[in-house]
């Protein structure tokens, strides 16, 4: 999510074949809602193609090879058909923070940092920062844990 700018529900609903490593594109085609399951995206702009940054490509390649996921199977699900539970991811992250004797990054700081990192990666790839040259502040982001997603919708 960090390097691709995907929303949580988009990441949960991502199929393995939405990740095209040959062309370097992730196709965002659907979302996931905890109560409804698979949902249509809320707007035409939400359906988009996201470039796969070099920092993400090898990780995706390794993940798909390790899980054996392909076709319409969920790329990041608990199983090929059941999406991951965000609280499980948070619990693992919290355990790692405790083990390292570090404090968890606050959602606001995380969102601003992720959005800035995404913009920097886009510029590195030869594109433009989604928000132009101005710095990103967490007050401009919609949602505590979704800062990077705004880079694609801005």
């Amino acid at each position: 999510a960090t390097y691709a700018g995907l929303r949580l529900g988009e990441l949960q609903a991502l199929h393995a074949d939405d990740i095209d490593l040959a062309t370097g594109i992730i196709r965002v085609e659907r979302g996931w809602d905890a109560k409804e399951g698979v949902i249509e995206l809320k707007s035409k702009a939400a359906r988009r193609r996201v470039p796969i940054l070099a920092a993400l490509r090898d990780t995706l390649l390794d993940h798909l090879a390790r899980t054996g996921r392909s076709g319409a199977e969920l790329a990041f699900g608990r199983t090929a058909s059941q999406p991951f539970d965000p609280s499980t991811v948070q619990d693992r992250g919290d355990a790692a923070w405790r083990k390292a004797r570090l404090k968890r990054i606050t959602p606001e700081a995380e969102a601003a940092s992720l959005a800035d990192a995404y913009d920097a990666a886009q510029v590195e790839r030869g594109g433009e920062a989604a928000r132009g040259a101005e710095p990103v502040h967490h007050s401009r982001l919609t949602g505590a844990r979704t800062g990077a997603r705004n880079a694609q919708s801005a």
Side-chain angles (χ1 to χ4, degrees), residues 3-107:
Y3 289 109
L6 273 62
R7 296 170 178 89
L8 173 62
E10 294 168 347
L11 191 61
Q12 287 177 291
L14 193 68
H15 291 177
D17 63 2
D18 293 330
I19 302 169
D20 189 341
L21 295 169
T23 62
I25 296 291
I26 295 173
R27 290 182 304 279
V28 180
E29 303 285 337
R30 69 201 68 74
W32 179 267
D33 179 83
K35 293 180 183 175
E36 302 292 324
V38 175
I39 59 171
E40 291 293 319
L41 297 171
K42 294 179 182 177
S43 69
K44 281 187 174 184
R47 176 174 261 125
R48 62 199 186 281
R49 297 186 186 306
V50 179
I52 298 173
L53 302 174
L56 180 58
R57 187 182 186 291
D58 289 343
T59 301
L60 288 172
L61 183 64
D62 291 345
H63 174 76
L64 293 173
R66 186 177 69 255
T67 61
R69 303 282 170 84
S70 64
E73 295 176 328
L74 293 175
F76 301 105
R78 287 181 63 187
T79 68
S81 60
Q82 183 182 20
F84 69 86
D85 181 344
S87 66
T88 302
V89 176
Q90 185 64 63
D91 291 345
R92 287 180 184 169
D94 286 345
W97 284 110
R98 281 191 302 276
K99 184 177 180 180
R101 296 186 177 141
L102 297 170
K103 285 185 173 183
R104 184 200 308 179
I105 298 172
T106 64

Side-chain angles (χ1 to χ4, degrees), residues 119 123 128-136 140 154:
D119 273 354
V123 170
E128 295 182 22
R131 287 172 223 72
E134 66 185 84
V136 178
R140 295 187 57 214

